[in-house]
Amino acid sequence: IRRDMWISQNYNLCYFSQKENKKLVLVNKSKLANAIVGQMDAVRPFAFHCTVSEGQDSHVFGFAAETQEEMYQWIACLKGAGKNQMLTTFQQADKLAADLKAFRITVLNRRKKVADNQKDDFEPTFKATLWKLRGNGDSMKAEDWLERDMWIAKNGSLVYFSPKEHTDLVYYTAADIARAKVVAVEDGKAFKPFTFQVQLPPTGEVEFAPGEFAAESEEMRTKWMSELIKHSDS
């Protein structure tokens, strides 16, 4: 898929989403700081990768430039952006970046582990199985939905158990939930039925993509939304 992409003055790797009709952040500057960038073998020529780490997991983003010269330029700029040496922006298609406001970033980059000395604060008050949409996933694709044990903790956070990391992770902090809006998703707008979203308000010029979840039934969706709204000030 061809996309207009650029590195912003804030050192985020951004792109324009035709589906969302918005500018989105693909990799933020904190991830670029430790990213591994280089050439890769792929079907398309002039391919390169940007590999970022999140805990024990690695995420590989693959790209292809129009020419070998552009590929080398992209690799150099991504490495420079990670070191906060990139002061100009450029766009992959037209080499032009303008109006870099209202970025959108996935909450994937914000999850954290529950520390051993804090486990009591994260004990569940309401717990059930939920389907959660994978980070950067497509809500219309079955394979992008993951079934997880999730709960609302005593301190008001939304927590789940990660089989991959074998630990509890905080999806939303209590502060997040307090300012979030919880809304039902219309039938047919997602692959899973009984879907709802948790939407955080913007922070400055950054918008957050909503967290998307699906319950086992309409009754359970209503219950989940009710429990979350109890902890929300919105």
Side-chain angles (χ1 to χ4, degrees):
I1 301 175
R2 183 173 178 174
R3 290 289 182 266
D4 288 343
M5 303 192 71
W6 62 91
I7 299 171
S8 74
Q9 292 176 338
N10 294 327
Y11 314 111
N12 297 314
L13 177 60
C14 309
Y15 72 103
F16 184 81
S17 169
Q18 295 177 347
K19 180 180 178 181
E20 299 284 345
N21 196 33
K22 285 187 178 182
K23 308 175 190 70
L24 307 184
V25 174
L26 182 64
V27 182
N28 67 21
K29 63 181 180 181
S30 64
K31 292 290 189 292
L32 278 183
N34 299 307
I36 299 173
V37 185
Q39 298 181 54
M40 65 182 294
D41 293 327
V43 175
R44 294 190 64 86
F46 317 124
F48 58 98
H49 70 90
C50 178
T51 303
V52 299
S53 297
E54 182 183 7
Q56 298 178 349
D57 296 335
S58 293
H59 303 275
V60 180
F61 298 93
F63 308 98
E66 295 289 342
T67 66
Q68 186 177 54
E69 181 182 1
E70 285 189 6
M71 178 188 70
Y72 289 141
Q73 186 180 17
W74 266 108
I75 291 173
C77 288
L78 286 169
K79 289 180 177 180
K83 297 179 177 63
N84 286 356
Q85 295 171 350
M86 178 71 184
L87 299 179
T88 59
T89 65
F90 70 98
Q91 192 172 356
Q92 185 175 19
D94 302 322
K95 307 291 192 302
L96 176 65
D99 190 20
L100 304 181
K101 297 179 181 179
F103 296 139
R104 195 176 185 185
I105 185 169
T106 175
V107 77
L108 171 68
N109 297 327
R110 309 174 70 252
R111 295 171 197 163
K112 63 179 182 179
K113 295 180 180 179
V114 175
D116 290 338
N117 62 353
Q118 295 179 321
K119 284 191 176 294
D120 184 62
D121 293 332
F122 290 91
E123 286 295 311
T125 59
F126 173 73
K127 183 176 182 179
T129 299
L130 267 184
W131 292 87
K132 74 178 186 72
L133 185 65
R134 185 193 305 274
N136 296 321
D138 185 337
S139 63
M140 297 302 294
K141 292 183 177 179
E143 62 269 23
D144 284 349
W145 288 92
L146 305 174
E147 189 177 26
R148 294 290 183 264
D149 289 332
M150 303 193 73
W151 62 93
I152 299 173
K154 290 193 298 186
N155 63 9
S157 301
L158 179 63
V159 189
Y160 72 101
F161 179 77
S162 170
K164 182 178 292 185
E165 298 195 34
H166 302 287
T167 191
D168 298 339
L169 296 180
V170 178
Y171 198 104
Y172 288 116
T173 66
D176 290 333
I177 297 298
R179 60 197 185 98
K181 290 185 177 180
V182 184
V183 296
V185 174
E186 183 181 346
D187 290 344
K189 297 294 186 180
F191 175 81
K192 289 286 183 182
F194 319 122
T195 302
F196 64 94
Q197 293 182 344
V198 178
Q199 177 68 68
L200 300 183
T203 300
E205 293 184 345
V206 177
E207 295 180 8
F208 293 95
E212 295 194 58
F213 308 92
E216 295 294 326
S217 65
E218 181 63 48
E219 180 182 2
M220 286 304 296
R221 176 169 69 173
T222 300
K223 178 66 173 176
W224 268 108
M225 293 178 63
S226 175
E227 291 295 327
L228 288 167
I229 290 171
K230 285 181 183 178
H231 297 274
S232 175
D233 298 329
S234 299

